[in-house]
Every structure is written in structure tokens, then in C-alpha cells.
Amino acid sequence: MKQKINFSGRAIKYTEDEIATVVEAMRTAEPLTQGRYMAEFERKFSQYQNVEEGSCFAVMNGCAALELAAQLCDFKPGDEIIIPSHTFTASAYPFIKHGATPVWADIDPLTRVVTAETIEKVITPRTRAVVPVHLYGYVADMPEIMELCAKNRLICIEDAAQAIGADINGKKAGSFGDMAIFSFHSHKNLTTLGEGGMLYVAEPETRKLVPMLRHNGHCPYGDDRPNYWTPAMGNVDLPMLNGRPLMPSNYSIGEVECALGAKMLDRIDEINAQKRGRAIRLIDALADFPELEFHRVPDSRHNYHLLAARMKGGQKLRDRFMARMHDEKGIKCVVQYLPLNRYDFYRKLGYGKADCPQADAFFDTMVSFPFQHWLGDDEFEYLIASIRQTLEELRQA
């Protein structure tokens, strides 16, 4: 059947004002990276997050933010980091690259994110850090997780890649931890022309290292120079943390992307509210079909970046449902986030063992529905009707 609703990699259709902002930045940005638009995006993002100005750093993507966070952890040989097994791979491998051993934590079966309890089960004397991932747009129980981290003197890096704008009692995802990362990938609720990211660093002294790490070790000369060109336009130095050198990279983001990101902050709450409202409407419209178990959160703790459900009838029923939705209704659903310990990548590195039965069970029965913000009302109604009809047909099969 001809595809009617794709699981699109593009979440947002830009407004004319947002397009005009991009065009204006193309005309006026000088230079086209590391300029005034980046500074404005960082300032406005800090304000939106209600965190200290100067604590947020725009980068080329969420993975770059994770790379920087991993460096700033300053891992020693044998250090472990606790990461959910059920997440996107970028949540994990930057920390492995910078010397940490991943230990996989299980998820809560309803919320699909880690909890203080699932984290505590895998803490050892070697644990140095924890990465709570706010997957699907739902904020993990950060007050409890931060209490656990403080008790065990652990670094907390929030992976808020999917959760911009979500909060717990008004405190935003990505403002609880020692560090946090955000993604503005094409699929996110706030997106900056395909890629983009942000790193939050709570500790003021640690923040001073980020501009050098982000941009090739560049920094100003410390002394006045008789001529601006002597000996060069700027210095290149070696960032040091706890007496150890950190190698810089180039994770800079363009000015056009920053201009768009700053502009999109004006409507991210509206986008989140619209997606949340639709999610609740769909979930409630399927209340008489217990075969699908959704996570229903009517408040701002969930931004419904994605809309996922568990097929309670098991994997075979899930696969039959997805096949019918695709072949007979023209709707593409997907299965996401294979537990990381089951990927060849992590198995080959020796990290293929995990005791995460809830993550395994959810992945093996999950369905992620097409839920991009730009879906029209007719398409959305067709999605609901198609789900209902397919489930009714499967009941009779």
C-alpha cells in the first residue's frame, strides 16, 4: 500500500518568521561561527533553563556535548559509569572513548527510564558517574537520583537530548545534574537545521575549560601586545583538569543554526504542549484497547518527543500489528533503542552482559508511532482510526 504516514526524520515545519531569521543570519553573521548569534543562543537558553548565565555552551550536536562532558569527568583507569541499557548509543560510547567502563542499568517498565532504585542496584566501589536519560521526553526522578548521587559522591550527567522543556515541579530537565546535554537533531521538538546541541556545566571553574575544548584550544593571550598581530591572532593552549591535560577538538556550531535555535525557543513550550495534548488525546482514544500500554503523563514532565507503547500481547502480536499498519494502512511505525549490550559494537568491546530484564522486555514488545509535530489533523485522525481498526481486526483473527 502507498505510504500515508511516514515515521519521518523531520519533526518540525519552520514558520515564516523562523525562515526569515535564518535568512537574516545568512546575510549578517560575521563570522559564520563562534559569533554573536551563538552568544545570544547560549544566553537565551540559560535563561529558558533558569540556570546561571555562562553555564550553557552551544555545540555542533548532542554527541559533541556528551564528548565534552566525558572529558570533564576526568576518568581514571577502572572508573565505571552507569548508563541505561535502553537508550541511544551516543549516551554511552563517548564515555568509553574517554576511559570509563559502562555498567548497564535497567529501566522502570512504565516510565521507560532509569530510577534511583535501578541505578543503586549496579553501584560498585568503582562507580564514578551516572547518566540518567530522559528518554522519549519524560524526566526521570531527578530529585531522588541526585540524592543518590550525593550520597555516593557520583557525578551526574543528565542526557536531556529528547526532553527540552519538560520539568519536575517547574525545574527543567537538564538543570538538576552536574552537567547536562541537549540535542537539536532534526527529529527533536527543537531543531536547528539538522544538527545542534548544548552542554550545561554547573560548576563555575569547570566551565572555563569548555570554550577551549570546543574550539581547538583557542584562547586569548594573557598579556597586552604591542600589535594585535604579534605573535598571532590568538593563543592556542592546553586545557588542564586536575593537573591532567585535555585534548581539544572542534565542536563549533554555525551562526545560522544558533540564530534559529534562539528563535525557536520562543515557541518550544507551544510545540511541547501541542504534542502533549495530541498524545493524551490518542492515548485516551485507545483506552478500550488494553493491548497497547502507553505512558500517560498529562503535565509538563513529559514533552512527548516520541510516542511509544508496549504491546501487552507480546512480540508476535506486535509484529503482526506493525505489519498490518504498514501494509494495509500505509503507516510506518518503528521499534527503537535495542538495549545497548545487545549491539555488536558493545559486545565486541566486552560490554555485552547486562541484567536489565525490563529493558529487554520493553524493547521486544514496543511500538513507536509516527508523531512528528507537523502531522496534519486529518493525518492524526487517520492514525487513531487505523490503530483502532487494526487492533479490532487482530482481536478477530
Side-chain angles (χ1 to χ4, degrees):
M1 183 178 182
K2 182 180 178 181
Q3 192 167 81
K4 293 186 177 182
I5 304 179
N6 185 26
F7 194 95
S8 176
R10 175 173 177 158
I12 300 296
K13 285 189 176 178
Y14 297 119
T15 67
E16 291 302 315
D17 280 350
E18 288 159 356
I19 293 169
T21 296
V22 167
V23 173
E24 180 66 11
M26 291 171 67
R27 289 192 177 118
T28 63
E30 166 54 43
L32 279 164
T33 185
Q34 296 280 307
R36 64 183 178 91
Y37 287 105
M38 184 188 77
E40 172 63 10
F41 187 23
E42 292 174 342
R43 183 199 65 77
K44 197 170 178 180
F45 193 87
S46 299
Q47 186 178 51
Y48 178 78
Q49 286 289 111
N50 196 28
V51 295
E52 188 176 353
E53 188 169 340
S55 62
C56 294
F57 303 89
V59 291
M60 60 194 289
N61 52 49
C63 189
L66 284 156
E67 291 272 359
L68 290 168
Q71 282 189 283
L72 294 172
C73 287
D74 190 29
F75 293 112
K76 308 297 191 302
D79 283 349
E80 295 177 349
I81 185 165
I82 296 172
I83 300 169
S85 68
H86 183 66
T87 185
F88 184 62
T89 181
S91 301
Y93 74 80
F95 297 97
I96 298 173
K97 286 172 65 176
H98 292 282
T101 298
V103 175
W104 308 118
D106 207 356
I107 59 171
D108 177 82
L110 178 60
T111 65
R112 295 100 191 226
V113 297
V114 290
T115 66
E117 182 180 0
T118 65
I119 292 168
E120 188 170 28
K121 286 180 179 178
V122 291
I123 290 176
T124 76
R126 296 178 297 279
T127 306
R128 178 75 190 285
V130 176
V131 182
V133 182
H134 308 315
L135 206 62
Y136 304 107
Y138 178 75
V139 190
D141 193 338
M142 289 309 302
E144 285 194 2
I145 290 172
M146 291 307 298
E147 183 178 346
L148 178 68
C149 288
K151 175 183 173 182
N152 291 275
R153 302 181 67 182
L154 304 177
I155 301 168
C156 180
I157 307 102
E158 287 181 80
D159 185 336
Q162 299 185 1
I164 184 170
D167 66 74
I168 296 179
N169 297 325
K171 187 170 175 61
K172 292 285 200 301
S175 67
F176 292 87
D178 301 291
M179 290 181 273
I181 72 93
F182 299 83
S183 170
F184 312 127
H185 178 268
S186 174
H187 203 215
K188 301 299 192 292
N189 287 10
L190 188 156
T191 174
T192 52
L193 291 175
E195 290 285 2
M198 193 74 71
L199 171 69
Y200 163 70
V201 180
E203 206 280 309
E205 285 302 309
T206 307
R207 293 175 201 158
K208 296 177 182 178
L209 298 170
V210 177
M212 294 174 67
L213 291 173
R214 173 176 60 184
H215 186 32
N216 304 295
H218 280 294
C219 58
Y221 282 104
D223 301 321
D224 292 335
R225 294 179 289 170
N227 300 304
Y228 70 84
W229 60 85
T230 305
M233 296 299 290
N235 195 12
V236 176
D237 206 345
L238 186 63
M240 303 290 291
L241 180 63
N242 301 325
R244 300 173 65 190
L246 300 176
M247 291 300 294
S249 297
N250 186 353
Y251 295 136
S252 302
I253 184 173
E255 287 288 271
V256 171
E257 289 87 349
C258 289
L260 177 59
K263 182 66 175 176
M264 284 209 68
L265 282 170
D266 294 340
R267 72 171 178 126
I268 184 57
D269 288 342
E270 176 186 348
I271 290 169
N272 286 348
Q274 289 169 345
K275 292 196 74 174
R276 186 183 309 112
R278 274 192 164 179
I280 298 303
R281 183 177 170 190
L282 184 146
I283 292 168
D284 289 349
L286 299 169
D288 53 337
F289 289 94
E291 294 94 328
L292 284 177
E293 181 184 71
F294 290 91
H295 183 205
R296 188 183 189 279
V297 184
D299 59 49
S300 57
R301 187 165 173 176
H302 208 320
N303 73 8
Y304 283 97
H305 159 61
L306 296 169
L307 181 61
R310 179 172 71 96
M311 184 65 74
K312 293 173 74 173
Q315 184 174 351
K316 288 184 178 180
L317 181 60
R318 188 275 309 276
D319 292 347
R320 290 166 60 203
F321 172 79
M322 288 183 63
R324 287 198 178 205
M325 286 285 286
H326 181 268
D327 298 344
E328 299 176 12
K329 308 299 182 185
I331 297 173
K332 184 178 181 181
C333 304
V334 301
V335 176
Q336 295 173 293
Y337 308 125
L338 178 71
L340 297 186
N341 56 287
R342 290 163 61 175
Y343 274 117
D344 289 344
F345 178 91
Y346 295 97
R347 286 176 172 173
K348 288 176 179 178
L349 288 173
Y351 306 130
K353 292 183 179 180
D355 182 17
C356 299
Q358 297 297 342
D360 285 329
F362 180 65
F363 172 79
D364 290 337
T365 57
M366 75 93 72
V367 183
S368 188
F369 293 93
F371 200 60
Q372 47 270 19
H373 179 261
W374 55 257
L375 277 176
D377 289 341
D378 289 345
E379 291 170 305
F380 182 67
E381 294 299 332
Y382 177 72
L383 174 63
I384 293 175
S386 297
I387 296 170
R388 290 187 60 86
Q389 186 176 0
T390 301
L391 289 172
E392 286 172 354
E393 291 168 352
L394 287 171
R395 283 178 174 179
Q396 297 168 10

